[in-house]
């Protein structure tokens, strides 16, 4: 401590503000939870533009039958990286940014429990993101094996595959560090009187999410390590010729991968459960049932993984088990939807941008849930597995689900983060364009999948042309409308109407559990510890 204080004193002598480094060193060395939250959010935003551009390359190629824009190999590299970056480089870091910004404020903690590990957990992310993008330019070409990294596709291929495996390891390490930090902060640093059952729902969803991450990410690490040794050291874990089993990889991967989709969506449930009560001017309906439903979803997520594998030749008993357990997970999810609707019921609702995105979330995420039930039925899934029906299903869950909740949360807390109100009119433009174009993009994919169009193909039969053209037009409108979002954020950071202590008028103190007036600027500097 004395050494730290002396060091801070030296920094002060060299012109640092209050003994703090400035410029780039401030961001590289910061241990302030708000700074790190902002870094996560900006990283997620940049990666969103990168992975979104990849999606637009995919949709440009699929605009009409035949090969127009890219060759099939590059097309597969785009699908692979789009998936990996969107999951590990956009949604997860965005939620980490929300966790860093909001959890200490919501539970009355001065900062996160392990501030230096917090800094490290963020700064390994750009390295992993760079590895993924640079892999495209390696000799032997980029990774065309799919974001799920299935062997034997992932056992062949050049150095780009090893880079991708390394990147996944780094991303996993970041997730584990963040999760340890979040669990410790929530369990040990709550303000006096804040019992677990008084915590805001967002804090609850992240506590449960962090446990899921710690339980599953090491499983993914094991799977990709076995892939790495299969590739480079002639182990034969997944190589049938050497006595291995490629289906074993799927079991290990999806034992991580299914809880992972709940890792992506549970914080969204938390954010929406903060926003809807505010704009309905009512407390959340069924707080305790929401907490238990979230925990139930987390526990059940561990016993449904092989519903991703109904076509690998499992015994009928296993197929029945995974079918029924998957349908069971719809129950706590339905409880949540019921509670959100009941919260809005007879509320004095207003429809500012965060509320619009939250209502869209409830409606469209529910569509994604219903198509998930369709996929859960084994005989149906055998028909639609690996078709565009599945693509439609998970994009309804992850775009109008996770992504819309992230956008809603950004609009909701932007006044708190920047001290300025965002432009409401532009926010509403962003909402309507995003929501309409998202449905134009992904709804026709249900029909394509039911008609039998397989995913991950650069070319397709003539019968699928119209729906693909519609989907591609929707995708480009969706992509363009995200530029409005970027402009709204930059505008709020640069200035605008001052945010008051009570941003959302008439919310009667439902806004933030721990009152925290909007700072004069975004980042309060922490006092130097003597």
């Amino acid at each position: 401590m004395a050494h730290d204080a002396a060091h801070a004193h030296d920094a002060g002598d060299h012109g640092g503000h209050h003994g703090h480094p400035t410029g780039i060193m401030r961001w590289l060395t910061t241990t302030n939870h708000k700074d790190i939250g902002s870094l996560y959010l900006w990283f997620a935003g940049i990666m969103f533009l990168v992975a979104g551009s990849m999606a637009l390359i995919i949709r440009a190629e699929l605009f009409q039958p035949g090969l127009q824009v890219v060759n099939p190999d590059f097309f597969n590299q785009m699908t692979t990286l789009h998936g990996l970056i969107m999951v590990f480089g956009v949604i997860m870091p965005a939620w980490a940014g929300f966790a860093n910004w909001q959890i200490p404020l919501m539970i009355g903690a001065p900062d996160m429990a392990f501030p230096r590990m917090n800094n490290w957990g963020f700064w390994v992310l750009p390295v992993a993101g760079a590895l993924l993008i640079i892999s495209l330019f390696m000799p032997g070409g980029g990774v065309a094996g799919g974001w799920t990294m299935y062997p034997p596709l992932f056992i062949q291929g050049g150095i780009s595959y090893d880079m991708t495996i390394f990147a996944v390891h780094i991303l996993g390490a970041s997730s584990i560090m963040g999760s340890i930090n979040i669990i410790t902060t929530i369990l040990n640093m709550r303000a006096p009187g804040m019992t677990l059952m008084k915590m805001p729902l967002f804090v609850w969803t992240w506590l449960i999410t962090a446990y899921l991450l710690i339980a599953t990410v090491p499983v993914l690490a094991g799977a990709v390590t076995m892939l790495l040794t299969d590739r480079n050291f002639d182990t034969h874990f997944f190589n049938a010729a050497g006595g291995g089993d490629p289906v074993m990889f799927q079991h290990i991967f999806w034992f991580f991968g299914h809880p992972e989709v709940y890792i992506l969506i549970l914080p969204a449930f938390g954010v929406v459960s903060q926003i809807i009560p505010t704009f309905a001017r009512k407390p959340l309906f069924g707080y305790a049932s929401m907490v238990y439903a979230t925990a139930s979803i987390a526990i059940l997520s561990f016993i449904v993984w092989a519903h991703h594998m109904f076509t690998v030749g499992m015994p009928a008993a296993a197929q029945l088990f995974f079918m029924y357990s998957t349908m069971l997970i719809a129950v706590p999810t339905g409880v949540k939807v019921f509670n959100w609707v009941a919260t809005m019921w007879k509320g004095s609702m207003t429809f500012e941008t965060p509320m619009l995105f939250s209502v869209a979330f409830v409606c469209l995420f529910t569509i994604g849930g219903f198509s998930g039930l369709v996929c859960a039925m084994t005989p149906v899934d055998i028909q639609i597995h690996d078709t565009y029906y599945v693509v439609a299903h998970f994009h309804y869950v992850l775009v109008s689900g996770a992504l819309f909740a992230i956008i809603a949360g950004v609009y909701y807390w932007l006044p708190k983060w920047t001290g300025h109100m965002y432009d409401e009119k532009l926010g509403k433009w962003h909402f309507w364009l995003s929501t309409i174009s998202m449905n134009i993009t992904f709804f026709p994919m249900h029909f394509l999948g039911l008609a039998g169009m397989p995913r991950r193909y650069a070319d397709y039969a003539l019968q699928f042309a119209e729906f693909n053209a519609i989907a591609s037009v929707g995708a480009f409108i969706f992509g363009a409308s995200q530029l409005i979002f970027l402009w709204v954020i930059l505008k709020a950071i640069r200035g605008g109407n001052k945010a008051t202590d009570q941003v959302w008028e008439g919310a009667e103190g439902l806004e933030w559990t721990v009152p925290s007036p909007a700072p004069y600027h975004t980042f309060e500097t922490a006092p130097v510890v003597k």
Side-chain angles (χ1 to χ4, degrees):
M1 278 301 191
H3 170 78
D4 282 0
H7 178 75
H9 182 68
D10 289 348
D13 291 346
H14 297 302
H17 176 62
H18 292 307
H20 281 266
T22 50
I24 187 81
M25 284 311 289
R26 164 184 154 190
W27 294 102
L28 283 171
T29 60
T30 181
T31 53
N32 178 317
H33 72 99
K34 297 181 178 182
D35 280 0
I36 293 169
S38 299
L39 285 169
Y40 270 116
L41 288 161
W42 276 116
F43 174 77
I46 292 163
M47 284 289 145
F48 179 50
L49 297 176
V50 171
S53 308
M54 293 174 175
L56 294 183
I57 292 171
I58 295 168
R59 284 316 323 168
E61 178 54 65
L62 292 174
F63 180 66
Q64 58 186 45
L67 296 173
Q68 285 81 236
V69 185
V70 292
N71 65 33
D73 201 44
F74 189 74
F75 181 89
N76 285 344
Q77 293 169 29
M78 289 294 99
T79 58
T80 302
L81 279 188
H82 167 72
L84 277 171
I85 294 174
M86 279 293 185
V87 170
F88 295 107
V90 178
I91 306 290
M92 290 170 75
W95 287 136
F98 276 88
N100 268 292
W101 252 104
Q102 291 306 127
I103 289 174
L105 299 179
M106 286 179 155
I107 64 174
D111 204 300
M112 298 295 277
F114 306 115
R116 292 182 181 194
M117 184 166 82
N118 208 9
N119 173 290
W120 177 231
F122 170 76
W123 278 110
V124 295
L125 277 187
V127 177
L131 276 171
L132 285 174
I133 294 163
I134 293 167
S135 74
L136 278 172
F137 305 101
M138 288 294 118
V143 177
W147 80 273
T148 47
M149 304 186 279
Y150 282 2
L153 294 171
F154 236 80
I155 291 176
Q156 295 115 28
I159 190 173
S160 56
Y161 286 77
D162 297 309
M163 292 171 70
T164 301
I165 289 169
F166 185 37
V168 168
H169 265 300
I170 296 172
L171 293 160
S174 167
S175 292
I176 289 173
M177 284 192 275
S179 301
I180 291 169
N181 211 345
I182 286 165
I183 290 173
T184 311
T185 305
I186 295 172
L187 294 185
N188 291 342
M189 297 177 69
R190 299 192 305 282
M194 177 161 289
T195 59
L196 287 174
M197 291 307 277
K198 283 186 182 162
M199 296 194 308
L201 245 239
F202 177 68
V203 182
W204 257 118
T205 54
W206 241 117
L207 179 64
I208 291 166
T209 301
Y211 275 111
L212 280 179
L213 278 162
I214 287 175
T216 58
V217 167
V219 178
L220 175 69
V224 296
T225 304
M226 289 195 272
L227 266 184
L228 194 70
T229 58
D230 271 14
R231 286 175 51 78
N232 297 296
F233 304 108
D234 285 333
T235 54
H236 294 287
F237 291 114
F238 309 128
N239 183 356
D245 182 4
V247 174
M248 181 173 76
F249 176 87
Q250 295 191 30
H251 278 291
I252 302 169
F253 178 87
W254 287 114
F255 187 81
F256 150 82
H258 201 80
E260 166 68 15
V261 299
Y262 292 101
I263 288 162
L264 300 173
I265 202 68
L266 287 181
F269 292 168
V271 165
V272 169
S273 301
Q274 301 296 129
I275 295 175
I276 288 177
T278 300
F279 295 99
R281 273 91 188 158
K282 283 171 63 185
L284 182 71
F285 180 90
Y287 173 91
S289 67
M290 284 296 236
V291 172
Y292 297 137
T294 309
S296 311
I297 289 170
I299 293 160
L300 289 171
S301 74
F302 283 101
I303 60 164
V304 298
W305 76 89
H307 67 209
H308 297 267
M309 302 167 55
F310 281 143
T311 55
V312 303
M314 280 186 294
Q319 293 191 324
L320 274 174
F321 170 80
F322 285 109
M323 177 168 85
Y324 289 138
S325 57
T326 304
M327 291 185 168
L328 190 61
I329 215 163
V331 176
T333 314
V335 167
K336 287 181 151 319
V337 173
F338 172 80
N339 283 7
W340 290 321
V341 173
T343 305
M344 292 187 272
W345 183 251
K346 294 194 173 173
S348 325
M349 286 203 288
T350 54
F351 294 98
E352 286 84 356
T353 310
M355 184 62 162
L356 287 172
F357 273 104
S358 299
V359 174
F361 169 94
V362 174
C363 301
L364 299 176
F365 170 78
T366 304
I367 293 176
F370 280 132
S371 60
L373 275 177
V374 174
C375 296
M377 289 182 272
T378 309
V380 178
D381 185 75
I382 288 167
Q383 290 299 312
I384 59 178
H385 183 80
D386 262 334
T387 70
Y388 265 80
Y389 192 91
V390 180
V391 179
H393 156 65
F394 72 74
H395 281 89
Y396 265 86
V397 173
L398 289 179
V399 177
S400 58
L403 183 64
F404 272 25
I406 287 167
I407 294 170
V410 170
Y411 279 114
Y412 186 57
W413 282 307
L414 205 57
K416 184 165 194 63
W417 295 344
T418 64
H420 299 121
M421 276 306 285
Y422 62 88
D423 186 322
E424 186 69 61
K425 184 177 273 186
L426 280 178
K428 287 198 164 73
W429 268 103
H430 174 224
F431 167 76
W432 286 110
L433 283 170
S434 294
T435 305
I436 293 166
S437 60
M438 180 268 158
N439 283 289
I440 293 172
T441 305
F442 297 113
F443 205 79
M445 292 183 187
H446 293 102
F447 306 137
L448 288 169
L450 288 171
M453 179 173 164
R455 62 181 181 169
R456 297 182 181 174
Y457 277 58
D459 192 9
Y460 52 84
L462 203 57
Q463 70 197 59
F464 303 126
E466 286 86 352
F467 281 137
N468 268 301
I470 293 167
S472 290
V473 169
F476 276 88
I477 299 170
F478 185 83
S481 52
Q482 302 324 301
L483 298 175
I484 302 176
F485 186 39
L486 180 63
W487 174 240
V488 170
I489 294 168
L490 292 172
K491 213 173 141 183
I493 291 171
R494 282 169 45 201
N497 296 334
K498 281 265 178 286
T500 56
D501 289 2
Q502 184 63 61
V503 175
W504 301 116
E505 210 178 324
E508 291 164 27
L510 294 170
E511 213 316 27
W512 292 301
T513 309
V514 179
S516 162
Y520 172 64
H521 54 80
T522 317
F523 310 108
E524 294 141 2
T525 47
V528 177
V529 181
K530 289 290 183 286

